[in-house]
Amino acid sequence: MNPISYIRNEQHCTIRQASQDDAKSLAFIRLQIDQETDYLDREPGEGVLSEEAIQFLIDSDLNTMNRLFLIAEVDGEIVGFARCEGSVLARKSHTVEFGVGILQAHWGLGLGSAILRYVLDWARTEGLHKVTLSVIETNKKAIALYERYGFEVEGRLRDDKLIDGQHFDTILMGYLIPSVTIPENK
């Protein structure tokens, strides 16, 4: 698919598919995002991925139908990423799980909306049926964004996250890709 590009606050924003050349920057950006927010599943320093591990993910995602690795850039600098990962199991291959991370300094530039537009267009193009995600209950802006794009709450995992000694629920959301029916010739 073609990249999405637009100007917001006099900054050039782009959403595009990841390439092998992005791995080094992604390894650094991922660590930085982990330190800026409690909205992710991992604590800072946990689940660290090396440049080589990210290169492997990018390669795998480029060569697997139900996977997508996106880059968010502002003025040519990588400031975030998103991934959709589908199952290799036939009974789950129609569904992908979505996750996103953007540096806080670049929140408010419409990157989340642009990423969601890209993901939903990609999912339609790939013939997928459903996009799922999980979001911590305190991330009200993200929940509102997902709902604006048609995601619905499908469940709640109670006391699922432990952050600074306090338990939080995880909200499970899903988006069913509308199927297009082709009228029969009569």
Side-chain angles (χ1 to χ4, degrees), residues 81-98:
F81 61 91
R83 280 192 74 230
C84 290
E85 185 173 2
S87 176
V88 296
L89 302 175
R91 292 181 180 177
K92 297 277 295 168
S93 64
H94 65 284
T95 299
V96 294
E97 186 173 356
F98 170 77

Side-chain angles (χ1 to χ4, degrees), residues 22-180:
D22 298 320
K24 185 174 185 175
S25 293
L26 280 169
F28 176 76
I29 294 297
R30 192 170 178 273
L31 289 174
Q32 192 174 347
I33 290 170
D34 288 355
Q35 294 172 5
E36 293 183 348
T37 183
D38 289 333
Y39 293 149
L40 301 176
D41 287 343
R42 55 190 179 270
E43 293 277 336
E46 289 183 330
V48 174
L49 294 178
S50 67
E51 180 180 346
E52 293 77 19
I54 292 175
Q55 284 176 331
F56 178 81
L57 274 177
I58 291 169
D59 186 55
S60 176
D61 291 354
L62 286 170
N63 294 303
T64 306
M65 184 200 87
N66 61 357
R67 290 189 182 177
L68 178 68
F69 202 136
L70 295 177
I71 300 296
E73 291 180 325
V74 174
D75 294 331
E77 176 187 339
I78 295 175
V79 300
F81 61 91
R83 280 192 74 230
C84 290
E85 185 173 2
S87 176
V88 296
L89 302 175
R91 292 181 180 177
K92 297 277 295 168
S93 64
H94 65 284
T95 299
V96 294
E97 186 173 356
F98 170 77
V100 61
I102 299 170
L103 291 171
Q104 276 186 1
H106 301 282
W107 290 4
L109 292 176
L111 296 168
S113 291
I115 287 169
L116 280 175
R117 281 194 308 275
Y118 194 111
V119 164
L120 296 177
D121 286 346
W122 167 81
R124 276 185 207 92
T125 301
E126 292 296 317
L128 297 171
H129 181 69
K130 185 175 184 179
V131 178
T132 65
L133 60 88
S134 63
V135 58
I136 191 167
E137 67 180 315
T138 56
N139 195 347
K140 303 294 185 194
K141 286 184 178 181
I143 293 169
L145 174 68
Y146 300 140
E147 287 175 338
R148 272 196 316 273
Y149 276 83
F151 282 81
E152 296 180 6
V153 173
E154 295 186 336
R156 175 182 292 264
L157 302 176
R158 303 196 40 80
D159 291 348
D160 188 50
K161 301 276 187 324
L162 178 63
I163 301 170
D164 297 330
Q166 191 173 1
H167 291 93
F168 296 93
D169 294 356
T170 295
I171 308 298
L172 305 175
M173 300 183 80
Y175 177 88
L176 295 176
I177 308 297
S179 59
V180 177

